[in-house]
Amino acid sequence: MGHQVIIFDFSLIRGLWETRVKKNKERQRKEKERLEKSSLEKIKQEWNFILECRKKGIPQSKYLKNGFADTDKKILDTYGKTPQLQKKRALPDEANKERNKFIFHLSGEQWTEFPDSLKEQIYLKEWHVYNTMIETIPAYIALFQDLRVLELSKNRINHLPVEIGCLKNLKVLNVSFNNLKSVPPELGDCENLEKLDLSGNMEITELPFELSNLKQVTVVDVSANKFHSIPICVLRMSNLQWLDISSNNLKDLPEDIDRLDQLQTLLLQKNKLTYLPRALVNMPKLSLLVVSGDDLVEIPTAVCESTTGLKFVSLKDSPVETIVCKDTEEIVESEREREQFEKEFMKAYIEDLKERDSAPSYTTKVLLSLQL
């Protein structure tokens, strides 16, 4: 018996795969067209365009017509070349170089720890570290007594060292979108802190009572975590003007929330609130209140019909499609990305509200359905 030789008709196989490839490309083309025509994609494009205009310092009147964004790319190019804008942006080289001597920048996923040379630069006033794989902050940070700004967003930091309490001159602490699960009580020793951003860590459930000592804090952002209530220490921050505790597990608000008599902005969307306390009416400086959720059925009439100029915004949440995924880390990262995008969306939306002096104070319903 001789060898069996199987002969394939390669033209048939090639034709079969070409047909499959064509069908797949056709499906991709139709999906792309569907997304391009969808209202969500248009909203996303408009908000990205608005954010870019804001970053370039372009006046709102240049890109908004009758309340709608004019997404003509020529606006970005033309205005970017305007001598007036270039002149406004220009800083004296010498002054800029002098300032940069006191600022440390680090980014890139190749970094898994801080460079050894950093410990010798204790004269620094600002750290800006983002998008790295760094997990820990070195204990020698206690030596940086002149540190004013500590921006450590979008890294892998899993805890704050107790030495952070030694930074008596620290004014800004941003450790958003990291892997923190708790905050050390020693942070309460940073008596000059003005801005605290712990957003997007996904796992923080409480703050230590010692943070009540932070009497200079005006901005607190703890959104996208797992708080079940507003921390007691936050209620004792007497100068607080901005509180973002959205995307948590709040079921109710404290009845004494009006002790925050300096509060101007309160963001509560994406929680599990069923009612709003009447105490909100007693907050004289509250100018923007944002809520959401179908469970919120009890809202004081005085809040909706406030005569103090309060802008009350009710966001209508749309169900986000659940992505089936076996990898827990991938699910968390997807959630982080969505939270980051929604935060940029809300930031632009709030700035737009503030610029519109004639904005009504009655309830405004906005559809918030952002998917990445």
Side-chain angles (χ1 to χ4, degrees):
M1 182 176 178
H3 295 288
Q4 289 184 333
V5 179
I6 302 174
I7 301 177
F8 291 102
D9 186 343
F10 288 100
S11 63
L12 291 176
I13 296 176
R14 179 180 176 183
L16 177 64
W17 280 105
E18 284 181 345
T19 301
R20 290 184 178 180
V21 169
K22 286 180 180 178
K23 287 183 177 179
N24 186 51
K25 287 184 177 179
E26 182 65 18
R27 281 197 298 268
Q28 290 179 344
R29 184 185 66 79
K30 288 182 178 180
E31 178 64 15
K32 184 178 179 181
E33 288 180 354
R34 186 187 69 80
L35 288 174
E36 288 176 349
K37 292 179 180 179
S38 70
S39 58
L40 279 178
E41 185 65 20
K42 289 180 180 178
I43 291 174
K44 181 179 176 181
Q45 290 174 0
E46 285 185 5
W47 278 105
N48 284 336
F49 180 78
I50 290 173
L51 287 172
E52 188 64 27
C53 288
R54 290 182 186 277
K55 288 177 183 178
K56 290 180 176 290
I58 300 175
Q60 193 180 76
S61 58
K62 297 292 183 181
Y63 58 84
L64 282 185
K65 294 182 179 179
N66 298 323
F68 295 95
D70 180 4
T71 56
D72 186 353
K73 296 292 184 181
K74 292 181 180 179
I75 296 175
L76 295 174
D77 297 335
T78 302
Y79 203 82
K81 296 176 182 178
T82 303
Q84 184 179 0
L85 180 62
Q86 292 177 347
K87 190 174 182 180
K88 183 179 178 181
R89 283 184 175 182
L91 290 174
D93 290 339
E94 292 184 6
N96 204 24
K97 287 181 180 179
E98 184 65 23
R99 180 174 179 272
N100 286 335
K101 287 181 181 179
F102 300 96
I103 301 176
F104 172 69
H105 289 277
L106 188 70
S107 66
E109 294 185 356
Q110 71 272 23
W111 294 100
T112 57
E113 57 184 20
F114 288 92
D116 292 336
S117 59
L118 180 60
K119 66 179 69 175
E120 300 171 2
Q121 304 176 54
I122 59 174
Y123 54 82
L124 291 172
K125 294 182 179 181
E126 298 183 17
W127 286 15
H128 296 268
V129 181
Y130 53 94
N131 291 329
T132 73
M133 304 297 284
I134 293 175
E135 296 183 358
T136 59
I137 300 173
Y140 63 70
I141 194 172
L143 301 174
F144 290 75
Q145 291 297 301
D146 291 329
L147 204 60
R148 304 288 198 277
V149 176
L150 191 54
E151 291 271 359
L152 304 173
S153 181
K154 302 176 186 177
N155 297 291
R156 298 295 179 93
I157 297 169
N158 51 42
H159 78 281
L160 295 178
V162 297
E163 288 81 5
I164 201 165
C166 299
L167 306 178
K168 305 298 183 183
N169 292 308
L170 190 65
K171 292 182 179 295
V172 176
L173 175 61
N174 181 355
V175 281
S176 61
F177 295 96
N178 279 282
N179 296 325
L180 297 177
K181 293 185 178 180
S182 62
V183 175
E186 287 78 8
L187 182 60
D189 294 331
C190 299
E191 55 193 24
N192 288 304
L193 194 67
E194 296 177 1
K195 179 180 179 181
L196 175 61
D197 191 344
L198 299 168
S199 62
N201 279 283
M202 315 302 287
E203 297 291 334
I204 303 177
T205 59
E206 58 183 2
L207 296 179
F209 182 78
E210 286 78 2
L211 268 60
S212 301
N213 299 328
L214 303 178
K215 303 300 183 184
Q216 302 302 316
V217 169
T218 59
V219 176
V220 170
D221 190 342
V222 290
S223 60
N225 279 290
K226 291 186 177 178
F227 288 93
H228 291 277
S229 61
I230 296 180
I232 295 176
C233 63
V234 172
L235 294 173
R236 293 173 178 264
M237 296 176 180
S238 53
N239 276 316
L240 192 62
Q241 298 175 18
W242 174 295
L243 174 58
D244 187 349
I245 194 168
S246 59
S247 298
N248 277 278
N249 297 322
L250 299 187
K251 293 184 177 179
D252 53 37
L253 298 178
E255 293 297 333
D256 60 342
I257 192 172
D258 53 355
R259 68 189 300 166
L260 295 173
D261 56 4
Q262 299 300 309
L263 196 65
Q264 299 174 17
T265 301
L266 179 58
L267 307 182
L268 300 169
Q269 71 272 17
K270 297 183 68 176
N271 276 289
K272 299 177 181 179
L273 297 171
T274 57
Y275 74 96
L276 296 179
R278 188 174 176 77
L280 290 170
V281 182
N282 302 326
M283 303 173 71
K285 295 191 177 182
L286 188 62
S287 58
L288 179 62
L289 173 62
V290 181
V291 299
S292 72
D294 295 333
D295 295 331
L296 187 58
V297 295
E298 187 176 337
I299 302 174
T301 305
V303 171
C304 300
E305 300 178 356
S306 172
T307 57
T308 62
L310 170 65
K311 295 184 180 72
F312 175 69
V313 181
S314 177
L315 297 175
K316 182 181 179 183
D317 291 325
S318 287
V320 177
E321 180 181 355
T322 303
I323 300 174
V324 179
C325 177
K326 295 181 180 179
D327 191 343
T328 304
E329 289 187 4
E330 189 172 335
I331 294 175
V332 172
E333 285 305 311
S334 176
E335 183 71 12
R336 286 185 202 275
E337 290 176 3
R338 186 171 61 82
E339 291 292 348
Q340 288 178 32
F341 187 86
E342 288 188 6
K343 184 169 284 291
E344 289 294 328
F345 177 95
M346 284 303 301
K347 181 180 178 182
Y349 178 71
I350 290 171
E351 287 181 3
D352 184 61
L353 271 183
K354 289 182 176 179
E355 288 180 9
R356 282 188 280 158
D357 294 333
S358 59
S361 60
Y362 54 76
T363 304
T364 305
K365 286 196 174 180
V366 180
L367 179 64
L368 179 60
S369 178
L370 302 175
Q371 299 184 35
L372 294 179

